[in-house]
Amino acid sequence: MTRILIAAAACFGLSACFGYLLLPVLRALKAGQSIREIGPTWHNYKAGTPMMGGLMFIAGTLVSLLCNLPFMTDYTVFYVYAIALCYGAIGFVDDFCKMKKKKNEGLTTIQKLLLQMAVSALFLYAMYKTGAMNCHLYIPFVNVTFDIHPLVYIFFAMFVMVGCDNAVNLTDGVDGLSSCVTIPVMVFFAATAISMGKLDLALLPACIIGGLIAYLFYNWHPAKLFMGDTGSLFLGGVVCALAFALDMPLVLILCGFVYLCETLSDILQIGYFKLTHGKRLFKMAPIHHHFEMCGWKEEKIVLTFAAVSAIMCFVAWLSIQGLLK
């Protein structure tokens, strides 16, 4: 337990240092965020804010994990970090394309999805072949587990992982939102891993907590740095990969409730718009923009969504007590 706390503290310090060094470099490279033409007009003042800030906690997490390598007995944590890093690399390419074009146009949706599916398939196959993941589907609350054919499970897992990764990406739309929503999720996964005796795996969510707290010093409203798709896709990879590494993917419905709401609001808005020939279900989607148009300040949205995330993570914790006994 002490090692986990030290890793979190170390990642906080390292990420803060990396952020301090990274910010002037990104400014010099003019790696500024371009605001979507169809996005909120009141966000126009954020144009030019450096992005790719996710690199600071990605690097901080890696160094912290490597420092713990001599003390580890289970290396599953590096599988999880590897897929998150691959997702982050997809985000980095997307951010780099936006930076070069000076427009909010990076990889196409199809390109992103194909790359994410390929990464998910590779990760799941590696986890299955090494025995780091089984094909049991645990049902929260009822404490029932079903055995599923490996091929079916892997296709199911690919769908969930890609969906979860993009859902976390959607949440990154207001200063500090994605970080504050994800911190309770990481607390949940760290506590779960510790309770299951997977202390080495618990190092990753602990490090992410430290890294995100450091990042908030740069990203709290008004933000001086954005994580970009580099950071948000990396975080999405961590969230979904941890769920599968702990053999409880369905718990994402609970601990990832805010991500789910963000995604559903976007899907419902598009569907309703098409069915009603131009009418809107929400003032704007994803849902955090709806609350902005209702007059909520960014700080209120962040704190409210973070509180909802924390409550649902507590519900998720209650739902798996049968597994932890």
Side-chain angles (χ1 to χ4, degrees):
M1 185 64 184
T2 302
R3 184 159 59 94
I4 293 170
L5 293 174
I6 291 173
C11 191
F12 168 80
L14 287 166
S15 298
C17 291
F18 286 139
Y20 180 79
L21 297 172
L22 181 65
L23 186 55
V25 173
L26 292 174
R27 284 174 174 164
L29 292 173
K30 296 182 180 180
Q33 175 70 51
S34 299
I35 304 302
R36 294 177 65 192
E37 290 80 0
I38 60 172
T41 56
W42 58 90
H43 281 193
N44 288 342
Y45 75 94
K46 298 183 180 185
T49 303
M51 55 182 178
M52 300 188 194
L55 291 171
M56 61 182 281
F57 54 78
I58 293 173
T61 300
L62 178 59
V63 175
S64 297
L65 290 176
L66 290 176
C67 288
N68 278 276
L69 188 58
F71 311 103
M72 289 184 181
T73 56
D74 178 9
Y75 303 106
T76 303
V77 64
F78 288 105
Y79 283 111
V80 177
Y81 181 85
I83 186 174
L85 188 62
C86 289
Y87 279 137
I90 295 170
F92 179 83
V93 173
D94 191 48
D95 286 338
F96 185 79
C97 291
K98 292 174 185 175
M99 182 184 72
K100 295 294 287 184
K101 294 178 182 178
K102 300 298 179 184
K103 290 183 179 181
N104 196 37
E105 297 175 2
L107 296 173
T108 65
T109 302
I110 296 298
Q111 287 172 332
K112 270 188 183 179
L113 285 175
L114 289 175
L115 287 170
Q116 288 171 317
M117 288 173 65
V119 168
S120 300
L122 183 63
F123 165 78
L124 291 163
Y125 179 76
M127 288 279 285
Y128 175 71
K129 292 300 288 185
T130 57
M133 179 190 75
N134 59 46
C135 297
H136 307 317
L137 188 63
Y138 175 75
I139 312 297
F141 288 116
V142 297
N143 195 34
V144 174
T145 302
F146 293 100
D147 290 329
I148 298 179
H149 189 278
L151 191 60
V152 175
Y153 188 84
I154 287 175
F155 274 105
F156 158 76
M158 285 175 60
F159 173 79
V160 172
M161 292 184 75
V162 173
C164 178
D165 195 45
N166 287 307
V168 177
N169 185 35
L170 269 180
T171 309
D172 184 34
V174 171
D175 295 350
L177 181 59
S178 187
S179 303
C180 289
V181 167
T182 302
I183 287 173
V185 179
M186 291 298 107
V187 171
F188 165 75
F189 280 124
T192 302
I194 292 169
S195 298
M196 296 174 72
K198 299 184 178 183
L199 300 183
D200 290 329
L201 187 58
L203 287 168
L204 179 56
C207 288
I208 297 295
I209 293 167
L212 288 180
I213 292 173
Y215 171 70
L216 280 171
F217 281 93
Y218 298 89
N219 187 243
W220 190 256
H221 185 73
K224 298 185 286 294
L225 182 66
F226 295 145
M227 69 170 67
D229 281 6
T230 304
S232 59
L233 291 181
F234 172 83
L235 289 181
V238 172
V239 171
C240 60
L242 279 172
F244 280 97
L246 291 168
D247 296 317
M248 50 179 65
L250 292 185
V251 81
L252 286 170
I253 297 171
L254 299 172
C255 70
F257 180 76
V258 173
Y259 308 137
L260 183 63
C261 288
E262 293 275 19
T263 304
L264 287 177
S265 68
D266 217 30
I267 294 171
L268 290 172
Q269 180 84 321
I270 294 170
Y272 190 78
F273 186 85
K274 290 181 177 180
L275 287 172
T276 58
H277 304 289
K279 292 184 179 180
R280 297 177 182 270
L281 187 61
F282 304 102
K283 292 185 177 181
M284 188 175 286
I287 193 71
H288 57 261
H289 288 323
H290 170 81
F291 287 110
E292 279 191 284
M293 294 195 73
C294 290
W296 286 31
K297 292 185 177 180
E298 291 194 28
E299 296 93 328
K300 182 179 179 180
I301 294 171
V302 170
L303 293 175
T304 302
F305 279 43
V308 171
S309 180
I311 292 168
M312 292 307 297
C313 284
F314 179 69
V315 174
W317 173 255
L318 295 178
S319 75
I320 62 170
Q321 290 309 295
L323 181 66
L324 300 178
K325 289 178 181 177

